[in-house]
């Protein structure tokens, strides 16, 4: 009997963590297929906001127009779908979305504004040469997380992450996005603020008022908010509320000024090195590698938060290290396809896990399917203005 008790202890080296109150579905469980599809589409909408914002920052400065912007958005979506599936299948296997990261904005912006690319008179040629420089920097920078993760070096680092140090890490990972989200909301306060208020009301207050046995409004608050505010923004546009307003206001508020719906091809398959072979510069590579280290720390905090929202067991250091290694693979694919930014575990989508109380891995994998589908069929890009407002949440 004593030997059997010892054997039972051996089979349980990792005690199960107490579930958070109100978590309806854990990592390995899943809601009904119809509900899982809606949740996956909701995760897709959230990551689409970050994708469009980052693309909108870089592509115009690189010399690209609406056509190039639509192609880059489709490329980022395609690579994000691949990276999310790889992370959920072979990495940490947690419900995390791997998407474009704000961490890479400063080093990549320095590449975009480099004098060696400003000498090109043709905007399209400048776009291609700048993209090739960004690809080379991402390919080199991806070696750091792959080496640190797959060879186990990051496992040594995360062993020193106690709860006292992990909590500030996870908190600061999320708070760091406020400085990027709220300025975008302020660009069109009459659309962004109602969206934010409606999202908070539907997710936090309406369920208490309605007292429904089924989680509907709080679980699908993002879908309801986007649909209602999109109709509201369309009414303002058609009614001429923005006629004669400044150009920046019209670009941020009008639903007919994005230019993506006419620029995006019906069907387009992103492929490696579609803008030419990468070019390598040591200064660019080291700058992006420094951002990669920050992205690795950010992903570590996001993995910890996602495991908690998914009611998973405490993450062993080896699993965190493996996830970082696959993040390196994600950044490598970003460089191959020309995704204009490196990848990290999405803080916004992890927050959505807590909002919906659904930590299902299947819902995240379905969202990856939406990313791959709409990266090939790019005609959903015309909802980008409302989605940008959502990203501030």
């Amino acid at each position: 009997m004593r030997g059997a008790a010892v054997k039972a202890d051996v089979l349980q080296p990792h005690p199960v963590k107490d579930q958070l109150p109100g978590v309806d579905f854990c990592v390995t469980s899943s809601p009904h297929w119809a509900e899982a599809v809606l949740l996956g589409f909701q995760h897709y909408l959230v990551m689409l906001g970050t994708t469009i914002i980052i693309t909108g920052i870089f592509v115009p400065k690189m010399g690209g127009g609406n056509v190039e912007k639509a192609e880059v958005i489709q490329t980022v979506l395609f690579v994000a779908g691949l990276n999310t599936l790889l992370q959920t299948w072979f990495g940490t296997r947690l419900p995390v979305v791997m998407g474009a990261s704000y961490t890479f904005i400063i080093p990549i912006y320095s590449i975009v504004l480099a004098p060696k690319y400003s000498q090109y008179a043709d905007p399209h040629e400048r776009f291609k040469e700048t993209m090739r420089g960004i690809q080379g920097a991402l390919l080199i920078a991806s070696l750091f997380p792959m080496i640190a993760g797959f060879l186990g070096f990051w496992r040594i680092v995360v062993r020193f992450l106690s709860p006292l140090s992990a909590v500030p890490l996870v908190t600061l990972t999320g708070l760091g996005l406020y400085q990027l989200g709220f300025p975008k909301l302020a660009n069109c306060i009459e659309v962004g603020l109602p969206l934010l208020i409606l999202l908070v009301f539907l997710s936090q207050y309406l369920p208490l008022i309605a007292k429904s046995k089924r989680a509907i409004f709080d679980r699908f608050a993002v879908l309801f908010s986007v649909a209602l505010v999109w109709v509201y923004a369309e009414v303002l546009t058609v009614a001429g509320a923005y006629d004669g307003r400044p150009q920046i206001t019209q670009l941020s508020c009008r639903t007919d000024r994005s230019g993506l719906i006419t620029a995006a091809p019906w069907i387009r398959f992103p492929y490696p090195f579609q803008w030419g072979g990468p070019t390598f510069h040591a200064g660019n590579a080291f700058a992006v590698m420094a951002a990669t280290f920050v992205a690795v720390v950010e992903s570590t905090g996001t993995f910890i938060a996602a495991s908690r929202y998914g009611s998973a067991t405490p993450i062993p250091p080896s699993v965190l290290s493996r996830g970082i290694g696959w993040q390196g693979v994600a950044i490598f694919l970003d460089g191959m396809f020309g995704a204009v930014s490196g990848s990290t575990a999405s803080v916004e989508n992890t927050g959505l896990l807590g909002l919906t109380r659904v930590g299902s891995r299947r819902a995240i994998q379905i969202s990856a399917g939406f990313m791959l589908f709409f990266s090939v069929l790019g005609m959903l890009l015309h909802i980008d203005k409302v989605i940008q407002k959502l990203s501030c949440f």
Side-chain angles (χ1 to χ4, degrees):
M1 295 294 294
R2 184 175 181 181
V6 172
K7 185 175 181 181
D9 292 338
V10 172
L11 295 176
Q12 297 179 4
H14 208 47
V16 177
K17 185 176 291 187
D18 293 335
Q19 291 190 0
L20 287 174
V23 174
D24 297 328
F25 297 94
C26 64
V27 174
T28 55
S29 63
S30 178
H32 188 271
W33 270 106
E35 187 174 354
V37 170
L38 289 176
L39 288 168
F41 186 71
Q42 196 167 229
H43 277 282
Y44 163 74
L45 290 181
V46 171
M47 68 81 55
L48 181 61
T50 303
T51 299
I52 293 173
I53 289 176
I54 292 179
T55 305
I57 291 174
F58 292 132
V59 174
K61 298 293 184 181
M62 295 165 61
N66 289 332
V67 174
E68 288 80 9
K69 184 178 179 182
E71 291 176 351
V72 173
I73 289 175
Q74 290 178 265
T75 299
V76 175
L77 288 177
F78 183 80
V79 178
L82 287 180
N83 292 333
T84 299
L85 289 177
L86 291 174
Q87 188 66 239
T88 55
W89 284 341
F90 308 113
T92 59
R93 306 193 74 233
L94 290 169
V96 293
V97 171
M98 301 297 294
S101 173
Y102 293 109
T103 306
F104 293 87
I105 286 181
I106 294 178
I108 292 183
Y109 204 73
S110 67
I111 298 175
V112 172
L113 299 180
K116 59 177 170 287
Y117 301 121
S118 302
Q119 62 183 351
Y120 293 97
D122 182 13
H124 183 67
E125 189 66 22
R126 180 188 174 189
F127 170 82
K128 291 175 58 178
E129 292 299 323
T130 308
M131 179 64 78
R132 293 172 62 192
I134 294 173
Q135 288 181 262
L138 288 173
L139 290 173
I140 297 298
S142 67
L143 297 177
F144 166 72
M146 283 195 286
I147 293 174
F150 289 137
L151 296 185
F153 295 114
W154 197 249
R155 177 178 56 189
I156 300 174
V157 175
V158 297
R159 288 185 185 277
F160 296 98
L161 279 180
S162 65
L164 188 61
S165 59
V167 169
L169 172 62
V170 175
T171 303
L172 294 175
T173 297
L175 291 178
L177 297 178
Y178 277 92
Q179 62 178 338
L180 296 165
F182 276 95
K184 289 292 182 182
L185 181 147
N187 287 342
C188 186
I189 195 70
E190 59 265 45
V191 174
L193 187 59
L195 176 61
L196 183 59
I197 294 174
L198 184 61
L199 181 63
V200 173
F201 175 75
L202 290 177
S203 62
Q204 304 300 319
Y205 295 100
L206 188 57
L208 300 178
I209 298 173
K211 296 181 180 179
S212 174
K213 295 182 179 180
R214 291 179 58 86
I216 299 177
F217 296 106
D218 50 346
R219 185 161 295 173
F220 302 106
V222 172
L223 290 178
F224 287 131
S225 301
V226 170
L228 292 175
V229 174
W230 174 255
V231 174
Y232 165 68
E234 180 69 18
V235 170
L236 290 179
T237 301
V238 174
Y242 303 113
D243 294 345
R245 299 285 294 275
Q247 186 70 15
I248 182 65
T249 302
Q250 296 198 33
L251 289 175
S252 300
C253 299
R254 295 184 67 99
T255 59
D256 56 357
R257 291 296 177 88
S258 67
L260 295 180
I261 186 64
T262 56
W266 278 98
I267 297 177
R268 180 180 182 273
F269 289 91
Y271 55 91
F273 307 119
Q274 53 194 319
W275 288 288
T279 57
F280 301 96
H281 303 277
N284 295 343
F286 281 112
V288 176
M289 191 172 293
T292 301
F293 175 77
V294 179
V296 165
V297 176
E298 178 183 342
S299 291
T300 301
T302 306
F303 290 150
I304 296 173
S307 68
R308 195 76 175 101
Y309 286 136
S311 294
T313 57
I315 310 178
S318 59
V319 174
L320 283 173
S321 184
R322 187 177 67 213
I324 295 304
W326 280 100
Q327 182 183 356
V329 175
I331 297 175
F332 184 83
L333 292 176
D334 292 333
M336 282 185 60
F337 283 84
V340 89
S341 176
S343 292
T344 188
S346 172
V347 181
E348 303 93 310
N349 289 89
T350 302
L352 188 59
L353 296 179
L355 182 67
T356 60
R357 303 193 304 276
V358 177
S360 171
R361 183 169 54 226
R362 179 182 295 174
I364 298 298
Q365 292 171 339
I366 291 174
S367 74
F370 280 114
M371 298 174 207
L372 294 174
F373 176 76
F374 287 114
S375 68
V376 176
L377 184 67
M379 304 311 292
L380 192 71
L381 297 178
H382 64 292
I383 66 171
D384 65 330
K385 294 305 175 187
V386 171
I387 301 302
Q388 286 185 26
K389 309 306 173 189
L390 177 66
S391 64
C392 72
F393 182 76

